[in-house]
Amino acid sequence: MSETEQPGPHSAAEAQAEPAAKMPSPAAPDLPAVTVRTRHWQWSPWIIWLIPVSAAVIALWLVIHAALDRGTIITIAFKSAEGLEAGKTKIKFKDVDIGDVKSITLSRDRTQVIVRAQLAKGASNIARDDTVFWVVKPRVGAGGISGLSTLFSGSYIAADIGKSEVEREEFTGLDAPPPLTNGLAGRHFLLHSEQIGSLDVGAPLYYRRLQVGQVVSYELDKNGRGFTFNVFVHAPYDQYVRQNTLFSHASGVELSLDANGVKLQTEALAAILAGGISFETPNSESSEAMPQAAANTEFTLFASRQKALQRPDFVVKPGLLYFQESVRGLQAGAPLDFRGIVIGDVKAVKLEYDKAGQSWRVPVEINLYPQRLHSHLQAGASLSSEELLQQLQRAGLHARLKTGNLLTGALYVALDVRQPGSDAAELRNAEQEARKIAASLPKRSDAPLVIATLPGGLEQLQAAFMRIAGKIEKLPLQETTQDVRTALASLNSGLQSADKLMRQLDKEVAPEAQKTLQQVRQSLGRLDHTLAEDGNLQLDLRDSLRELKRAAQALQQLAEQLERRPDGVLRGKQEDKK
């Protein structure tokens, strides 16, 4: 709208000025009328303040926006700042940047480094009470090689977000990556073992040689008698862990020699080098019906697979053996063998002083497993385990020490009953001694079973050697030695003579013999020539045979003539009548 087309509403000053302008002035010349128009908008000086006010508003808005966009500030304490750099090191969760390191300072006691990091706005909820942080860098451990990608990209701080609802701003970083991250499907189980072996955090867990889990943590029991391992089995393999599943160390090598030959059983190479655990469930109908083990179920971690597969013994009968010989090589755990069947083991080997007899004795505490005897009974037998032991004692149960390994000298206890033809008197004395010892023990329900002992094979062999040595000692060794020396001197002289004779034969007889042989060879050659078909001897012999034939014919004619004319010898030959 222009000022000439529409005058618009007048202001108060214009309203006052219009009556004055319409009034006639007597002295004023006839001048053209001046029209005063009033401006509807006027510039005010205060409008200049709009600029800084707007800038302030914008700045305030930016500050508020920045404050609203800024994530949570957290601090993480590490033992070392190796690989970390303020302004460059990132904080990642599943390889997604969720923050960065702002500063790195030393703690007041200078034992740690304090990393101050700012999380992204959308990642502020990861600062939970059970969230853990660790530095990702190249590592070589039991689980393999990890963090190789950081050789080029640089180290970073990885986070594993917890599930707690409690927020937290100060954390203590881990020295190594946690074995497991939150959110993995599977179940934890607790294993108890007397020895830790070569196991460590991250050691693999095998099922049929397939790695299905790992050791999460371990700790020494409060009583100091063993270790408790926390292991995790990934799903779906955790379904194979049942209430009767057997866990055993898999870091060893089992070498067995039996009637089928040499057997070498090992687990994966990683388990041999870094240790590991394997588990299996016995194959039986009852195992298939056994329910799955719940999370945090406790199991026994056996030292080997062979130990794990042995039938568990729920009935243990303590026993006591007193040996009068050396038990060097007999250690706790040595088997009690009854005709090839292990029915117990050695619990402890001790030494005690017999005040009454003023002698030292070696008591060997044993554990008998009567259920193993019962399991070998024939069908239909109904004797209890206690009755079986009593039956064995009535049959003359006794123990001997035998050598189990010639190389190591390890001993084991061999149990047997009285055999026909054995030394009954010796066994009776041993049984009487055992009953005397049993009578001296306190009368308790858990009193050990005292078993008679006999000298072992090694001691018998030693006694035999001693007897032989005694007989040898009684022999006239000095005279025999002198005779032997004399005989050896004679033999030496004879050998010298024989040697001299041989030399003489070699020098004198041998050339003559060789010469004789040559002559014999020549004579044989001549004889062979003489006996040839065209030789003179052959011709002479043939002539002589012909003459002899003719003479025989003449004699035959003379005999025939005498037979016809016997008087022909007296009258002479007469002419035949014509």
Side-chain angles (χ1 to χ4, degrees), residues 186-236:
R187 277 177 283 182
H188 289 264
F189 300 101
L190 299 178
L191 308 181
H192 298 282
S193 175
E194 295 182 355
Q195 301 293 334
I196 188 173
S198 56
L199 298 178
D200 200 352
V201 175
L205 191 69
Y206 293 96
Y207 176 71
R208 297 183 182 276
R209 297 178 180 268
L210 175 67
Q211 184 174 352
V212 297
Q214 54 193 331
V215 177
V216 178
S217 63
Y218 65 88
E219 62 179 2
L220 182 65
D221 294 340
K222 293 182 180 179
N223 57 10
R225 295 181 179 178
F227 293 86
T228 299
F229 296 88
N230 181 9
V231 300
F232 182 81
V233 181
H234 298 280

Side-chain angles (χ1 to χ4, degrees), residues 72-269:
T72 304
I73 298 295
I74 62 173
T75 58
I76 309 172
F78 288 104
K79 290 184 178 180
S80 172
E82 180 184 0
L84 303 180
E85 190 173 357
K88 292 185 178 179
T89 302
K90 300 293 184 182
I91 299 179
K92 296 184 178 181
F93 174 68
K94 294 186 177 180
D95 286 338
V96 176
D97 294 344
I98 59 174
D100 51 6
V101 175
K102 294 299 182 183
S103 65
I104 301 175
T105 58
L106 286 174
S107 61
R108 290 184 178 180
D109 57 359
R110 297 186 294 277
T111 59
Q112 292 178 323
V113 293
I114 306 300
V115 176
R116 184 173 177 271
Q118 183 178 5
L119 301 177
K121 180 181 178 181
S124 299
N125 58 351
I126 72 168
R128 302 298 179 182
D129 185 61
D130 53 349
T131 298
V132 294
F133 297 90
W134 69 94
V135 178
V136 178
K137 56 185 178 181
R139 298 177 188 272
V140 179
I145 302 175
S146 61
L148 291 179
S149 60
T150 58
L151 290 174
F152 303 98
S153 61
S155 302
Y156 63 89
I157 298 175
D160 184 21
I161 302 175
K163 298 180 180 179
S164 175
E165 297 296 334
V166 180
E167 296 183 354
R168 185 179 173 185
E169 294 182 353
E170 295 181 354
F171 298 89
T172 299
L174 302 178
D175 297 332
L180 298 175
T181 56
N182 291 319
L184 289 178
R187 277 177 283 182
H188 289 264
F189 300 101
L190 299 178
L191 308 181
H192 298 282
S193 175
E194 295 182 355
Q195 301 293 334
I196 188 173
S198 56
L199 298 178
D200 200 352
V201 175
L205 191 69
Y206 293 96
Y207 176 71
R208 297 183 182 276
R209 297 178 180 268
L210 175 67
Q211 184 174 352
V212 297
Q214 54 193 331
V215 177
V216 178
S217 63
Y218 65 88
E219 62 179 2
L220 182 65
D221 294 340
K222 293 182 180 179
N223 57 10
R225 295 181 179 178
F227 293 86
T228 299
F229 296 88
N230 181 9
V231 300
F232 182 81
V233 181
H234 298 280
Y237 308 106
D238 57 340
Q239 63 177 320
Y240 303 118
V241 181
R242 300 182 181 273
Q243 294 182 356
N244 62 337
T245 295
L246 304 173
F247 289 83
S248 62
H249 284 272
S251 54
V253 178
E254 293 185 11
L255 178 63
S256 61
L257 177 63
D258 53 17
N260 297 323
V262 180
K263 294 181 180 179
L264 180 63
Q265 185 172 0
T266 64
E267 291 292 341
L269 181 60

Side-chain angles (χ1 to χ4, degrees), residues 305-497:
R305 180 174 178 269
Q306 183 180 2
K307 290 284 185 182
L309 292 178
Q310 288 180 352
R311 182 173 178 172
D313 299 290
F314 301 103
V315 178
V316 179
K317 176 66 177 178
L320 192 59
L321 307 173
Y322 278 91
F323 289 101
Q324 302 297 330
E325 57 190 298
S326 174
V327 294
R328 183 182 178 86
L330 183 65
Q331 299 179 351
L336 267 68
D337 186 283
F338 181 78
R339 298 187 178 181
I341 299 175
V342 179
I343 61 172
D345 52 26
V346 175
K347 181 180 179 182
V349 180
K350 299 180 179 179
L351 179 66
E352 67 179 20
Y353 178 70
D354 182 15
K355 187 176 180 180
Q358 296 183 353
S359 61
W360 292 94
R361 299 186 303 184
V362 182
V364 177
E365 298 179 1
I366 61 174
N367 286 328
L368 290 168
Y369 306 123
Q371 288 180 322
R372 299 187 183 182
L373 292 172
H374 187 77
S375 63
H376 291 285
L377 281 176
Q378 295 180 357
S382 58
L383 293 177
S384 64
S385 301
E386 191 67 25
E387 291 174 340
L388 281 173
L389 289 177
Q390 294 176 0
Q391 182 67 24
L392 286 175
Q393 279 196 304
R394 285 193 293 269
L397 181 65
H398 59 274
R400 294 177 188 267
L401 288 177
K402 289 190 175 180
T403 303
N405 192 312
L406 295 176
L407 297 177
T408 61
L411 299 178
Y412 70 96
V413 179
L415 299 176
D416 205 343
V417 294
R418 186 185 303 108
Q419 296 294 321
S422 60
D423 191 351
E426 185 181 24
L427 182 57
R428 282 197 299 272
N429 294 335
E431 290 176 344
Q432 184 178 0
E433 183 67 20
R435 285 193 292 269
K436 187 186 300 182
I437 295 173
S440 64
L441 297 177
K443 303 299 181 184
R444 299 184 307 184
S445 59
D446 58 345
L449 175 66
V450 181
I451 300 176
T453 60
L454 294 177
L458 184 60
E459 187 174 354
Q460 290 180 337
L461 183 62
Q462 185 177 0
F465 276 120
M466 292 300 295
R467 289 195 297 270
I468 295 174
K471 293 180 180 178
I472 293 175
E473 188 178 5
K474 294 178 181 178
L475 293 175
L477 294 179
Q478 188 172 1
E479 293 78 359
T480 304
T481 304
Q482 185 63 35
D483 294 342
V484 170
R485 288 178 180 175
T486 303
L488 290 176
S490 301
L491 180 60
N492 187 24
S493 178
L495 291 175
Q496 291 178 355
S497 300

Side-chain angles (χ1 to χ4, degrees), residues 561 564-565 567-568 571-578:
Q561 186 177 0
R564 289 191 307 267
R565 297 181 63 90
D567 55 346
R571 298 176 178 180
K573 185 177 178 181
Q574 296 180 1
E575 293 294 337
D576 297 334
K577 293 179 178 179
K578 295 182 182 180

